[in-house]
Amino acid sequence: FLRAGDRPEALRTFTEIAEFAPYNAFARGRLGDLLLTYGWAAEAYPQYQTLAALRPGDPMAQVRVALAALAAGREDEGLRTLRRAVESSGGDAAGRMLQSLLDGEVTRVATARPDDAAVRSWIRVARQLRVGREQRARDRLGLERMRVRVGMDDIPRRF
């Protein structure tokens, strides 16, 4: 339906699927995506919460919850959820992408609310997460260089 450009029909279809198959994570995610596309963030938010409950530990489900909360004007809740997604993601490219998303959202909220003490604390939190992620990356790089220099391939690769 989406490829055909029939968004109302797609919305009706995914709503029906979510009603008849409440544990279908794909349908919940697509319904939330459609609602958010239409600008109905408050309606998308519970769909994404259900998706996150169906996929515990999935940082991308948490990102969807966070983006819906941010779009609905619940910035503190959105930033908290996004922070959890950053913390639960690894040090890979996805984790760096989530960190950039958090930084961007904190900057956006800080621009809108420059005198808010809570926003200043979010700036500190985002900075601490970024510094911690950069330190872990430097530590991994140091271990890799040590393996090459010393020829110690038996160093555990836990990082």
Side-chain angles (χ1 to χ4, degrees), residues 5-158:
D6 192 1
R7 290 182 187 219
E9 183 62 24
L11 182 61
R12 185 191 64 74
T13 300
F14 280 108
T15 301
E16 287 179 6
I17 292 171
E19 287 175 5
F20 292 117
Y23 300 108
N24 186 329
F26 175 77
R28 291 292 178 167
R30 292 302 295 154
L31 179 57
D33 293 344
L34 285 167
L35 292 167
L36 201 57
T37 299
Y38 279 122
W40 300 327
E43 290 83 2
Y45 182 74
Q47 300 302 324
Y48 288 147
Q49 281 186 314
T50 304
L51 174 66
L54 292 171
R55 292 185 179 167
D58 180 5
M60 296 315 290
Q62 291 294 321
V63 168
R64 287 172 152 173
V65 172
L67 293 177
L70 288 163
R74 302 190 315 218
E75 283 118 357
D76 291 328
E77 181 178 351
L79 291 175
R80 270 194 309 275
T81 305
L82 198 50
R83 175 186 175 188
R84 282 194 304 269
V86 169
E87 289 172 342
S88 69
S89 68
D92 57 359
R96 290 189 301 273
M97 185 265 314
L98 291 178
Q99 180 67 52
S100 294
L101 181 61
L102 177 63
D103 290 343
E105 288 301 319
V106 166
T107 302
R108 184 186 63 76
V109 172
T111 304
R113 299 172 15 198
D115 296 329
D116 192 342
V119 173
R120 286 194 297 274
S121 72
W122 276 113
I123 292 170
R124 282 192 302 276
V125 165
R127 186 177 304 127
Q128 289 168 352
L129 286 170
R130 187 174 48 255
V131 167
R133 185 172 299 283
E134 290 168 355
Q135 181 61 45
R136 287 190 299 274
R138 282 193 298 273
D139 291 347
R140 280 193 303 274
L141 182 61
L143 283 175
E144 289 299 322
R145 286 181 180 160
M146 186 174 78
R147 276 192 195 101
V148 171
R149 213 174 320 138
V150 180
M152 298 178 70
D153 287 333
D154 58 343
I155 295 175
R157 294 183 181 260
R158 289 181 33 212

